[in-house]
């Protein structure tokens, strides 16, 4: 293969919106309704044959989404070249929370442009009732700087492939981001974070 890339991609959003389910569907094409709570961060790797010359390894960083981590999120964000922001279409408060996650990433990414895609998960529960909200979602994307939005269902495998391909396309078009050094930093950092102790001393409360 001529081109071989590794991309660090963040998966952000409040607890229970379906981040881990989204990752599991994308990586393993599986869904389980039982919850295994994410502690700090889970990693998953997806290999993708982008075209006949290009293989992409997507290293997904699935953050627990608990507020108590937010004053250390900059550690997790380092070296990321893209991000998915998830909310639960049945719980409006999770859409509000996603705006805060986006502010947090913007604040801590030192002005580096990171392509982002907003995902409204659990769309299987609203059965097409949301079509009229499209204009509102476009406005929100413009206002908060998301590059695109999709309604998805990790459960029924709706739009998962489309949404992920969209983000990867944006990352590929943003080639300033993925230098060999960036790749090295990302791998190094995932080793550091894996061996990090749980930050019990992290203050409760919020960073935004
Ligand atoms: P996380 O905390 O954001 O990682 O969320 P989880 O992936 O653990 O999911 C939280 C709950 O939502 C679990 O009970 C999942 O089975 C459920 N869930 C996740 N995705 C979907 C979906 O697309 N549709 C439905 N109906 N439930 C989902
Ligand atoms: Mg999780």
């Amino acid at each position: 293969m001529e081109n071989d890339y590794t991309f660090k991609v963040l998966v952000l959003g409040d607890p229970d919106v379906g981040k881990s389910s989204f990752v599991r569907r994308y990586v393993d094409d599986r869904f389980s309704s039982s919850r295994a709570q994410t502690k700090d961060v889970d990693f998953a790797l997806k290999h993708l044959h982008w075209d006949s010359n290009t293989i992409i390894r997507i290293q997904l960083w699935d953050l627990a989404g608990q507020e108590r981590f937010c004053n250390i999120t900059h550690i997790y964000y380092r070296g990321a070249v893209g991000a998915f922001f998830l909310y639960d279409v049945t719980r409006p408060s999770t859409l509000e929370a996603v705006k805060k996650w986006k502010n947090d990433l913007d604040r801590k990414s030192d002005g580096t442009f990171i392509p982002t895609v907003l995902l409204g998960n659990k769309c299987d529960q609203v059965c097409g009732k949301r079509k009229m909200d499209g204009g509102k979602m476009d406005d929100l994307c413009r206002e908060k700087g998301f590059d695109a939005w999709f309604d998805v269902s990790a459960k029924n495998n709706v739009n998962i492939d489309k949404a992920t391909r969209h983000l990867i396309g944006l990352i590929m078009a943003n080639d300033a981001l993925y230098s060999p050094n960036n790749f090295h930093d990302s791998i190094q950092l995932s080793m550091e974070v894996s061996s990090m102790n749980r930050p019990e001393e992290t203050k409760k409360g919020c960073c935004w």
Side-chain angles (χ1 to χ4, degrees):
M1 212 55 76
E2 257 170 55
N3 304 311
D4 187 333
Y5 301 117
T6 297
F7 294 156
K8 172 178 172 180
V9 172
L10 305 168
V11 182
L12 303 173
D14 266 10
D16 287 332
V17 297
K19 298 181 299 299
S20 302
S21 302
F22 163 74
V23 169
R24 193 170 310 128
R25 170 61 76 191
Y26 181 46
V27 172
D28 296 331
D29 198 15
R30 282 193 300 121
F31 177 79
S32 152
S33 49
S34 62
R35 289 197 69 232
Q37 207 181 352
T38 307
K39 290 195 177 144
D40 298 6
V41 62
D42 282 339
F43 301 102
L45 194 65
K46 168 87 173 175
H47 289 226
L48 197 70
H49 291 271
W50 183 249
D51 59 34
S52 55
N53 277 330
T54 311
I55 189 162
I56 301 177
R57 297 162 215 275
I58 303 159
Q59 192 185 65
L60 292 150
W61 288 47
D62 170 13
L63 268 66
Q66 284 154 8
E67 288 181 348
R68 70 190 193 82
F69 298 116
C70 56
N71 55 356
I72 56 159
T73 46
H74 61 283
I75 298 171
Y76 298 109
Y77 296 164
R78 209 195 308 155
V81 298
F84 291 108
F85 287 83
L86 268 79
Y87 70 100
D88 174 344
V89 294
T90 67
R91 286 189 293 143
S93 65
T94 63
L95 181 58
E96 289 308 306
V98 125
K99 299 177 191 172
K100 294 172 180 170
W101 281 102
K102 180 66 167 63
N103 289 343
D104 192 51
L105 178 65
D106 288 347
R107 248 203 351 253
K108 294 172 183 169
S109 53
D110 307 324
T112 312
F113 169 69
I114 298 175
T116 55
V117 167
L118 177 61
L119 302 177
N121 190 37
K122 311 193 188 182
C123 74
D124 55 281
Q125 298 202 323
V126 294
C127 306
K129 281 184 225 146
R130 275 166 46 79
K131 287 217 166 63
M132 63 240 279
D133 290 349
K136 256 204 266 175
M137 294 308 294
D138 289 343
D139 290 347
L140 174 70
C141 286
R142 263 191 299 276
E143 184 197 326
K144 301 305 294 181
F146 294 107
D147 296 296
W149 65 271
F150 295 87
D151 279 354
V152 299
S153 167
K155 183 177 181 185
N156 290 357
N157 200 6
V158 176
N159 274 345
I160 303 291
D161 196 50
K162 199 169 166 188
T164 48
R165 285 205 149 258
H166 191 89
L167 182 67
I168 294 155
L170 293 170
I171 296 170
M172 291 295 278
N174 190 23
D175 58 0
L177 276 177
Y178 51 89
S179 65
N181 285 344
N182 202 337
F183 158 71
H184 178 77
D185 283 355
S186 169
I187 298 294
Q188 179 64 33
L189 183 63
S190 67
M191 288 172 2
E192 281 169 26
V193 169
S194 301
S195 62
M196 220 161 66
N197 289 328
R198 242 183 117 107
E200 295 299 347
E201 72 280 10
T202 302
K203 275 184 261 154
K204 286 206 190 269
C206 205
C207 53
W208 39 62

